[in-house]
Amino acid sequence: MTLPLLALHAPRRPSLDEQVWHAVFQGFAEATLPLIRDHLARGTRHHGMIANLLNARGIPCYGHARWTATDIRMVLSHGALREAG
């Protein structure tokens, strides 16, 4: 009995478009992370409330019309990854 050969693929390189969008998001996260952390430092712990506060201030969100709790978590996790790496 012959075993099938496994094809090993090289890791996929992100396209130029993906690299550009990643760089744009990185800039967005770096610009908004201090605002989010400021709200956390002032005692606002609920991500949905932070989103509402940013929306009330008219601060734009990346890729969405309005901030959501998920967007807050995304920026915070991106900031934690950057600091760890």
Side-chain angles (χ1 to χ4, degrees):
M1 180 169 121
T2 313
L3 295 176
L5 294 176
L6 297 176
L8 298 177
H9 297 283
R12 186 181 74 82
R13 279 185 68 157
S15 70
L16 182 58
D17 285 345
E18 290 171 320
Q19 292 174 30
V20 168
W21 282 111
H22 179 74
V24 169
F25 174 76
Q26 183 176 336
F28 163 79
E30 289 174 4
T32 56
L33 187 59
L35 299 170
I36 294 169
R37 286 190 172 156
D38 183 57
H39 285 295
L40 290 170
R42 293 172 186 258
T44 307
R45 296 284 180 233
H46 190 270
H47 293 159
M49 180 58 72
I50 295 172
N52 290 340
L53 292 168
L54 295 178
N55 289 328
R57 290 175 62 186
I59 296 171
C61 183
Y62 178 83
H64 301 113
R66 298 182 52 78
W67 284 90
T68 66
T70 301
D71 298 317
I72 301 299
R73 283 188 291 276
M74 180 179 60
V75 171
L76 287 171
S77 66
H78 182 78
L81 289 174
R82 299 255 322 145
E83 291 170 358

